[in-house]
Amino acid sequence: MGKGAACFFKLKQKNLNLNLPKELFEAAKLVSESRYKKAEPILRDYLKKDPLDVNAMKLLADIGIEFRAYKEAGYLLSRALDLFPDFHFARFSYANLLYKRQLPLESIEQLDQLLAIDPDNIQWLSLKAVNYALANNHEEALNLFKFIIKNFPANTQIYLSYGHTLRAIGKIKKAIDAYYKAISFNRGAGEAYWSLANLKTHKFTKDDIDNMEALLKDKNCPYDDYSHLLFAMGKAKEDAGDYRSSIAAYIKGNQVKSSRVPWDARGFSAECNELQDFFNRELFDDLQGVGSSIQDPIFILGLPRSGSTLIEQILASHSKVEGTTELQNIIALSRKIANKTTANDPSHYPGALREIKTEDFKKMGEAYISNTRSQRITSKPFFIDKMPNNFSHIGLIHLILPNAKIIDARRNPMDCCYSCYKQLFGSGQGFSYSFNRIGNYYLDYLRLMSHWDQTLPKKIHRVTYEDMVSNTESEIRKLLDYCGLEFEENCLNFYNNKRAVRTPSSEQVRQPIYDSGLKYWKNFEDELSPLKNIFIENGVSIE
């Protein structure tokens, strides 16, 4: 929300005194420059002196949204709106928070309150449009984007969001046109170039590459543009077969990104240890059958770029299965149980599960079904939750939804980790921005999945990407059999499915299965030696 903070102290707001004290002015400036870690202590200290200052609440909440501290951000914004219901900046931040939490209908409710006051506010209209897309109402999203573009002076972000919506429903040529239109504006061209690269199927022209190189040489190139351009350049050089220049761009891009996206590798390993200690066979025996008997969800999890979207597309081509997206509900539930107000607070997850009443596990399972209903637009009996990070929460999933299906998408560690390394994620996934981070994350993933296999035998179905490529029909039949579904020919012809897909693999799964991604990492073998050594030293096969 840096852009919101940039105008925060320029505009007048009813009932608010925007002659900000020096500390708040400095904090707002820092937030507008995305220097959140410097702004946060200023705001916390200020709120200790003046706990009713809604300006400070709003700014601190914006930082919380950036760091995914949604609980605290929600508390701050609710408090600010209780004190000043007409604080429109805070209500917009609250709508943005609801969008980030994948609550599009609730977000639209907040935006409609704002639009009743100012129906021509382009920021509010744009957020409403992306909420329509999140709610799988792509027709309304496209209509609203077209209205905005026709009636207002559009900008990079409008065309980017418009392009993302077009991409999700497979209108790739129009999406490409929208991304190039976004490039025509001065600021934000980096994200537009990366959006083209992220199609995975688009090839850059020489003019594109020359323009990106010129932008990268510009000393005034903004940080966000710079990081996006490096990843886009890596893809451009890769497509041209210039692997040395490609990996150099990816390495630089990861260095830049890792400096802004923290990741505590030791902390994550410790969390995995705690999960293994807590979720043992004795616990599962004691709490057997306490969750909801509902069978609707099919969880696909693992690492990003492991073939999970391919599995999703195959299953979503079945007449009884609906594909949704990477739902945050299980992670949100784990954070609620953790009961952390700030990032530095101790987590009560998973230990607090011992204190939960038996009947509450069923309620949590039913709440998950209820809260994900907005993502389901058909009456099909089963739906897919494709959040990869849910592999950490298999124990929780089993307790609240013991009849849910769980599929582990697995890929050769070098191909998977390198594919993550060269992917610029929209948010989160801080583990991917160095060889050491992603290598050790993969080791923790293997260790934790081995634990789930031992404590929940036959619960998880594993799909290996390489096997799916080499023996497609057999693997699809085994997958459907695990899910209790009859074989349907459409699952073999998954690439004809016209459903919306909102992950980086959207265009790849609209093609028949191909084998060009197998052992692709060997094109960069020398440069990837630090990653390869992590696996060799830990006895993990890379062949």
Side-chain angles (χ1 to χ4, degrees):
M1 292 302 297
K3 293 177 183 177
C7 65
F8 176 63
F9 46 88
K10 294 179 183 177
L11 303 178
K12 293 182 179 179
Q13 185 78 36
K14 181 181 177 182
N15 290 336
L16 289 178
N17 177 10
L18 291 188
N19 295 318
L20 296 180
K22 180 180 178 181
E23 301 101 304
L24 288 194
F25 187 91
E26 178 61 22
K29 185 172 184 295
L30 289 168
V31 172
S32 73
E33 296 168 353
S34 300
R35 297 167 70 187
Y36 305 115
K37 287 186 177 181
K38 287 187 175 295
E40 183 177 5
I42 297 173
L43 292 166
R44 291 196 183 280
D45 289 343
Y46 184 85
L47 278 170
K48 289 177 182 177
K49 294 185 295 183
D50 189 351
L52 298 181
D53 191 303
V54 293
N55 294 315
M57 292 179 196
K58 187 267 181 193
L59 286 169
L60 187 57
D62 286 343
I63 295 172
I65 293 171
E66 289 293 331
F67 290 140
R68 302 180 128 188
Y70 295 150
K71 182 178 180 180
E72 183 185 23
Y75 168 78
L76 289 165
L77 291 170
S78 297
R79 179 68 172 144
L81 290 169
D82 284 342
L83 291 167
F84 285 97
D86 291 335
F87 190 3
H88 305 326
F89 290 119
R91 192 169 300 281
F92 179 66
S93 286
Y94 188 47
N96 183 54
L97 169 63
L98 293 168
Y99 168 72
K100 297 281 189 181
R101 290 181 54 206
Q102 293 188 338
L103 297 170
L105 302 183
E106 290 86 342
S107 180
I108 289 172
E109 285 180 10
Q110 298 296 319
L111 290 167
D112 283 343
Q113 290 186 52
L114 294 171
L115 289 166
I117 299 162
D118 182 3
D120 293 334
N121 187 300
I122 191 170
Q123 274 191 305
W124 302 346
L125 288 167
S126 300
L127 184 55
K128 185 174 182 178
V130 297
N131 269 294
Y132 276 137
L134 180 60
N136 278 321
N137 193 342
H138 291 89
E139 183 177 352
E140 287 289 348
L142 290 177
N143 287 339
L144 186 48
F145 276 125
K146 290 174 184 176
F147 172 81
I148 294 169
I149 289 169
K150 180 180 178 180
N151 293 283
F152 301 95
N155 54 37
T156 300
Q157 195 58 51
I158 296 298
Y159 277 101
L160 279 170
S161 298
Y162 182 44
H164 298 338
T165 305
L166 290 164
R167 169 194 172 145
I169 59 174
K171 295 187 176 183
I172 301 306
K173 186 179 184 304
K174 289 185 177 181
I176 290 171
D177 291 343
Y179 292 144
Y180 274 111
K181 182 67 176 178
I183 289 169
S184 69
F185 298 91
N186 289 331
R187 190 178 179 90
E191 186 176 352
Y193 274 119
W194 167 246
S195 297
L196 288 166
N198 204 28
L199 291 170
K200 310 302 181 189
T201 56
H202 181 74
K203 299 294 187 292
F204 287 113
T205 66
K206 183 179 182 302
D207 286 345
D208 289 332
I209 294 173
D210 289 345
N211 193 31
M212 283 192 283
E213 287 177 340
L215 290 169
L216 283 167
K217 291 176 183 176
D218 184 354
K219 293 181 179 180
N220 295 317
C221 183
Y223 162 80
D224 283 342
D225 272 1
Y226 190 63
S227 58
H228 280 98
L229 285 165
L230 286 167
F231 280 88
M233 183 63 75
K235 176 65 166 58
K237 295 294 186 179
E238 183 181 329
D239 288 343
D242 186 353
Y243 298 126
R244 180 161 294 185
S245 296
S246 171
I247 192 65
Y250 285 136
I251 289 172
K252 180 63 175 177
N254 276 275
Q255 289 172 343
V256 170
K257 193 69 177 176
S258 65
S259 68
R260 295 286 187 100
V261 181
W263 176 252
D264 183 0
R266 290 183 179 178
F268 182 72
S269 289
E271 288 175 16
C272 291
N273 291 338
E274 188 174 1
L275 291 168
Q276 287 183 242
D277 290 340
F278 181 82
F279 288 106
N280 52 42
R281 289 293 294 270
E282 180 183 0
L283 177 101
F284 290 129
D285 288 343
D286 290 345
L287 296 175
Q288 185 174 2
V290 296
S292 169
S293 61
I294 293 172
Q295 302 180 37
D296 297 24
I298 300 173
F299 292 91
I300 302 175
L301 42 76
L303 262 73
R305 313 297 299 150
S306 61
S308 57
T309 306
L310 173 61
I311 298 169
E312 178 193 38
Q313 184 79 342
I314 290 167
L315 285 174
S317 298
H318 196 280
S319 62
K320 294 184 178 179
V321 182
E322 179 174 5
T324 58
T325 187
E326 296 178 354
L327 304 176
Q328 296 180 12
N329 302 71
I330 293 295
I331 293 174
L333 176 58
S334 73
R335 287 175 176 162
K336 182 178 180 181
I337 297 167
N339 197 28
K340 292 177 62 171
T341 302
T342 68
N344 295 324
D345 288 343
S347 171
H348 298 283
Y349 178 80
L353 288 169
R354 280 288 189 189
E355 310 303 320
I356 291 177
K357 295 178 181 178
T358 302
E359 59 268 24
D360 287 342
F361 287 99
K362 180 179 180 181
K363 292 178 181 177
M364 286 190 285
E366 292 171 345
Y368 169 85
I369 298 298
S370 176
N371 293 336
T372 56
R373 206 171 300 282
S374 63
Q375 291 292 326
R376 302 175 69 177
I377 58 175
T378 73
S379 59
K380 294 180 180 181
F382 302 102
F383 73 98
I384 299 167
D385 181 338
K386 203 185 76 67
M387 173 58 75
N389 310 68
N390 279 339
F391 77 83
S392 296
H393 304 300
I394 288 175
L396 175 61
I397 291 170
H398 179 70
L399 289 180
I400 68 171
L401 293 161
N403 293 323
K405 301 298 183 182
I406 299 176
I407 298 163
D408 173 29
R410 191 166 296 188
R411 186 181 179 189
N412 173 283
M414 289 298 293
D415 278 332
C416 185
C417 290
Y418 179 56
S419 190
C420 286
Y421 182 77
K422 65 180 184 176
Q423 178 68 41
L424 181 56
F425 292 96
S427 62
Q429 316 299 29
F431 62 82
S432 69
Y433 296 117
S434 80
F435 293 138
N436 188 60
R437 288 185 186 190
I438 184 64
N440 283 291
Y441 186 84
Y442 194 93
L443 293 177
D444 285 327
Y445 152 74
L446 290 180
R447 179 165 59 90
L448 196 52
M449 290 308 303
S450 177
H451 172 76
W452 300 130
D453 288 340
Q454 293 170 25
T455 54
L456 295 169
K458 299 183 180 180
K459 173 70 179 178
I460 302 160
H461 179 72
R462 185 155 294 115
V463 177
T464 303
Y465 177 75
E466 291 75 17
D467 291 342
M468 181 63 79
V469 170
S470 63
N471 201 357
T472 304
E473 183 172 345
S474 175
E475 290 299 313
I476 289 176
R477 287 183 179 275
K478 287 190 285 186
L479 174 64
L480 294 175
D481 185 59
Y482 164 77
C483 292
L485 299 167
E486 294 181 359
F487 177 79
E488 292 183 358
E489 199 73 23
N490 283 342
C491 296
L492 280 178
N493 302 320
F494 60 87
Y495 44 86
N496 292 325
N497 192 332
K498 302 302 182 184
R499 74 183 187 91
V501 182
R502 289 177 274 175
T503 64
S505 304
S506 60
E507 287 316 290
Q508 293 168 306
V509 299
R510 291 182 175 123
Q511 309 172 46
I513 284 180
Y514 51 88
D515 61 7
S516 59
L518 302 180
K519 301 295 178 67
Y520 188 76
W521 69 272
K522 286 185 176 291
N523 291 310
F524 309 88
E525 187 164 7
D526 290 343
E527 293 83 357
L528 294 179
S529 58
L531 180 61
K532 181 171 69 172
N533 290 338
I534 289 173
F535 294 130
I536 292 174
E537 290 168 4
N538 286 275
V540 176
S541 173
I542 59 175
E543 297 302 329

